[in-house]
Amino acid sequence: MSDRFFPNPYADYDEKAHGTEYHSIVSRSSVIDLIVKYVGMIQNHTQTKMREDLYVGTAGIAFMFWKLSRSEETKNLFPCLKLASKYITEAKHHSAKKHRSSKDSVAFLCGDSGIAAVSAVIAHSQGNGHDAENEVKIFLKGHPVCATDGGYEADEVLVGRAGYLHGSYWLNQTIASKPIANETVTAICKVIMTRGRRIAASLQTAAPLMYEYHKKTYLGAAHGICAILHALLESPWFDRDDDGQFCVSPTKLSDIKNTIDYVLTMQNHEGNFPTRHDSNRTLVHWCHGCGGAIYLFAKAYLTFKEEKYLQCCRKCADTIWHQGLLRKGPGICHGVAGNGYAFLLMYRLTGEKCYLYRAAKFTEFLNSPTFAEQLLAPDRPYSLYEGLAGTC
Ligand SMILES: [Zn+2]
């Protein structure tokens, strides 16, 4: 028995046996009951000292309430936007008291650009356009650092350029005026390309692009190349022009795609990826391994329409099914909810019921007595990325 995950106790999907079973597992009322229970636990425990960021801090709790405000099913369960506003104000207050560096102005999941983005979106949802604009201006303070090669060494998602890009895309998806200009985005993408080519050349990797975080060539979604490549695929370079062609130059296109194909070659027979380019260690998390890599390959499939990327996603999903009921808790970074979310992605990508069934079974497990004892295992058990806020 692995010390990392619970053996999956459920039979896999069989249409004859399970045709509609997932309907009752994920009944509206059972999900709502879980959310009410979790939100109650979060509210009882967030008075104690928390960090302020999205990853494990009060901004993450604010994001959760904003997200609950977006669903017809949950928006009236709590005064969602009022609570979102309360938590984000707290996050800003704590952040303002600290000495802030250029790193903080860039960092999305673990710093101030994330707090500003969530604050902008909450203000926008409350119909407060003026405050939303001001928060976008604060978010944009991170741009000069991101768009400069040198001086700031992180390209990954938690504190680096890719996280800032994902934040920019989220602001443009969420705020109708699309406040982040295409040129603002592509200036950062160009720096990411230059840096990736330089690191690949210095390490003599077969891939045209490579990235390091604290001198380590991580592959996974948190610190590694998967989420960086994903951020490039989401850029305006991959919009189609009038002739249906990508807007990206042929050399950039080939470097990005060849690097994705290189990462694809690192998928092992189980369907997982090593944590680092130069390692054989594997984990089934969002932060490291197939639980996060799947998002890159889903995006690659949607972008390039090549079957091999979908096959890669299917293998990731199979590994998650067998090894994804993590003992580390309910979170989305290295927990059961994060791994279960990959099945919802696969269901949206393929429409196949087996993935909805698997997601439902992971939800069922979250509510099982076996798991209840482990619920508070992570360091920050109520937070967005490690705890119950992400589960909600
Ligand atoms: Zn993690």
Side-chain angles (χ1 to χ4, degrees), residues 157 166 219-222 225-231 233-234 260 273 285-303 309 312-314 316-317 320 331-333 335-349 385:
V157 152
H166 283 292
L219 294 184
I225 197 168
C226 283
I228 299 171
L229 293 168
H230 188 169
L233 289 183
E234 294 278 0
I260 295 170
F273 292 85
H285 296 180
W286 169 80
C287 48
H288 296 288
C290 56
I294 193 170
Y295 297 94
L296 167 64
F297 291 101
K299 184 65 193 176
Y301 175 63
L302 293 171
T303 306
Y309 299 126
C312 168
C313 293
R314 288 187 187 284
C316 291
I320 296 167
I332 52 179
C333 188
V336 175
N339 279 339
Y341 199 88
F343 301 132
L344 296 178
L345 168 83
M346 287 304 289
Y347 179 64
R348 287 205 296 263
L349 201 61
Y385 267 73

Side-chain angles (χ1 to χ4, degrees), residues 202-215:
S202 77
L203 298 174
Q204 299 184 307
T205 57
L209 305 173
M210 191 49 64
Y211 297 89
E212 289 180 311
Y213 184 68
H214 292 301
K215 302 282 180 204

Side-chain angles (χ1 to χ4, degrees), residues 67-355:
K67 193 79 185 165
L68 292 171
S69 81
R70 305 277 285 179
S71 162
E72 287 299 320
E73 304 292 344
T74 53
K75 69 179 187 186
N76 296 320
L77 294 176
F78 321 94
C80 292
L81 283 177
K82 215 174 132 194
L83 288 166
S85 181
K86 178 193 125 173
Y87 282 106
I88 201 67
T89 303
E90 222 171 276
K92 284 194 291 185
H93 180 69
H94 283 297
S95 174
K97 284 199 291 194
K98 289 189 173 171
H99 172 72
R100 306 314 265 175
S101 63
S102 55
K103 178 183 153 185
D104 293 300
S105 68
V106 171
F108 184 70
L109 285 179
C110 292
D112 287 351
S113 81
I115 296 172
V118 172
S119 191
V121 165
I122 292 169
H124 177 75
S125 297
Q126 289 179 311
N128 193 339
H130 180 71
D131 282 1
E133 266 175 44
N134 279 339
E135 295 296 340
V136 169
K137 280 184 196 153
I138 296 170
F139 176 84
L140 286 169
K141 283 183 184 173
H143 184 257
V145 179
C146 283
T148 305
D149 179 14
Y152 192 61
E153 294 301 315
D155 298 299
E156 47 78 274
V157 152
L158 267 64
V159 298
R161 289 178 178 82
Y164 193 85
L165 284 177
H166 283 292
S168 302
Y169 304 143
W170 181 61
L171 284 170
N172 282 352
Q173 274 170 15
T174 322
I175 298 180
S177 64
K178 297 191 187 302
I180 312 299
N182 280 357
E183 304 74 54
T184 304
V185 168
T186 52
I188 301 170
C189 294
K190 283 179 194 162
V191 172
I192 290 178
M193 291 299 291
T194 305
R195 292 172 55 78
R197 285 170 176 150
R198 191 167 60 228
I199 294 167
S202 77
L203 298 174
Q204 299 184 307
T205 57
L209 305 173
M210 191 49 64
Y211 297 89
E212 289 180 311
Y213 184 68
H214 292 301
K215 302 282 180 204
K216 294 193 170 79
T217 50
Y218 291 108
L219 294 184
H223 291 310
I225 197 168
C226 283
I228 299 171
L229 293 168
H230 188 169
L232 293 172
L233 289 183
E234 294 278 0
S235 76
W237 286 347
F238 287 88
D239 292 347
R240 303 265 182 182
D241 64 16
D242 294 340
D243 300 323
Q245 302 298 313
F246 293 127
C247 299
V248 66
S249 74
T251 47
K252 288 194 188 84
L253 174 62
S254 96
D255 282 0
I256 293 168
K257 191 163 184 302
N258 287 337
T259 305
I260 295 170
D261 288 344
Y262 175 78
V263 178
L264 181 63
T265 65
M266 302 190 78
Q267 189 171 35
N268 67 20
H269 67 281
E270 278 192 326
N272 205 353
F273 292 85
T275 55
R276 298 201 324 243
H277 164 251
D278 52 0
S279 162
N280 290 321
R281 184 169 183 250
T282 56
L283 292 166
V284 183
H285 296 180
W286 169 80
C287 48
H288 296 288
C290 56
I294 193 170
Y295 297 94
L296 167 64
F297 291 101
K299 184 65 193 176
Y301 175 63
L302 293 171
T303 306
F304 302 114
K305 315 277 186 250
E306 290 178 26
E307 198 60 23
K308 65 183 178 187
Y309 299 126
L310 182 61
Q311 289 310 324
C312 168
C313 293
R314 288 187 187 284
K315 287 189 210 163
C316 291
D318 289 345
T319 306
I320 296 167
W321 172 247
H322 294 295
Q323 300 178 28
L325 293 172
L326 301 177
R327 292 180 186 275
K328 277 190 150 187
I332 52 179
C333 188
H334 35 261
V336 175
N339 279 339
Y341 199 88
F343 301 132
L344 296 178
L345 168 83
M346 287 304 289
Y347 179 64
R348 287 205 296 263
L349 201 61
T350 66
E352 293 169 17
K353 285 176 189 162
C354 69
Y355 293 116

